[in-house]
Amino acid sequence: MRKIHFSGLFLLAILMLAIPAAAPAQISVGVGISVHIGPPALPVYVQPVCPAPGYLWAPGYWGYGADGYYWVPGTWVMAPSVGLLWTPGYWGWGGGSYLFHAGYWGPHVGFYGGINYGFGYGGVGFAGGRWNGGVFAYNSAVMNVNTTVIHNTYVDKTVVNNVTVNNHVSYNGGTGGVTAQPTAAERAAENEHHIAPTALQTQHEHAASTNHALLASVNHGKPAIAATAKPGEFTGHGVVAAGGASHNASPNGGNRPPSNAANLNKTDRPPSGNGNTSHVNNATTSHANTTSNAPKNQPHPQNKPANKPATKPQTESKAPPKDNKPHKD
């Protein structure tokens, strides 16, 4: 009996060695939560000033929980590695419901539903900056950076969107959704190696999901915490309310859009730097969707400058009214 017992164990061990080990889980562009009601429109807000060199912008978006949609504030985050760019998540219609496609880090920006999140994410690619020799350079035409502190900047005003078309729509497909489809370059980016959101980004989203004030049913699409200077910091002068100005005014001329962009306050865009090129390095008019050695994307059709200047430029430098109510879009 003992001989038979040991023989059985020996055969079991051989079978276990013959079975291939399970492959490690791969991070991919997964489809998460599905909802039958589309998310609210994107709130309008001013981008907080970049806290330090090396921070990249992650646009705000609508998450979904037990109590419905809640706003995850836009925030500045550190990339997990040099050369990586953030592709925002997005809601898309499919199979009879709205599905959330999670964001990810990768060497190129992939498809994010054609959603105009602003601040360089106009619907196609990313025009807010690029990696250059291991250092991230910011396009101060669409990113709110203090050029007296951050010197790796350039100005490319050709990417400023002067046309307001579906600017606030927060989902792709379905009734009233954005109709964009992935380009060949975006499909290629989806097949690249991806890295999941950082721990700070995950904590940031969790904190938003537990904040009652961020529920769409409570803030009616205009959250008091629309954007933050750093992940999870929902109080302090780095917090920006929807429809209002930042409590931390931009040091490079205030929260003002370019004078030739009448509808800039409707595109969630930051100050242009007011033409200040004293701290501009590697000035260019190209898009910044890739690392420095990768081919450059063509501008989105909606991102072409207007043919004639606006007669009454909007401003975002005004302080919020004393009753602390955000202005209407």
Side-chain angles (χ1 to χ4, degrees), residues 7-23:
S7 297
L9 290 177
F10 179 75
L11 290 174
L12 180 60
I14 294 297
L15 289 173
M16 291 181 66
L17 290 174
I19 299 174

Side-chain angles (χ1 to χ4, degrees), residues 215-253:
L215 288 172
S217 59
V218 174
N219 58 53
H220 306 293
K222 292 188 176 182
I225 309 171
T228 67
K230 291 183 180 181
E233 295 186 0
F234 291 175
T235 60
H237 60 268
V239 173
V240 176
S246 170
H247 295 254
N248 188 8
S250 171
N252 61 345

Side-chain angles (χ1 to χ4, degrees), residues 33 35 39-40 61-65 68-72 91 100 205 214 216:
I33 303 171
V35 189
Y61 60 95
W62 291 104
Y64 192 87
Y69 284 104
Y70 60 90
W71 179 249
V72 181
W91 289 92
F100 185 72
E205 180 177 7
L214 291 176

Side-chain angles (χ1 to χ4, degrees), residues 140-218:
S140 60
V142 292
M143 298 289 259
N144 188 2
V145 294
N146 182 352
T147 55
T148 64
V149 175
I150 299 177
H151 305 294
N152 297 304
T153 64
Y154 62 97
V155 175
D156 180 8
K157 294 184 178 181
T158 65
V159 302
V160 175
N161 185 356
N162 293 319
V163 180
T164 304
V165 179
N166 283 340
N167 254 349
H168 306 300
V169 176
S170 60
Y171 57 91
N172 178 282
T175 304
V178 177
T179 59
Q181 296 294 323
T183 65
E186 288 171 332
R187 290 187 185 278
E190 288 181 355
N191 294 322
E192 295 176 327
H193 175 67
H194 299 148
I195 296 177
T198 64
L200 286 177
Q201 286 178 282
T202 302
Q203 294 168 13
H204 179 77
E205 180 177 7
H206 176 71
S209 70
T210 60
N211 191 315
H212 185 72
L214 291 176
L215 288 172
S217 59
V218 174

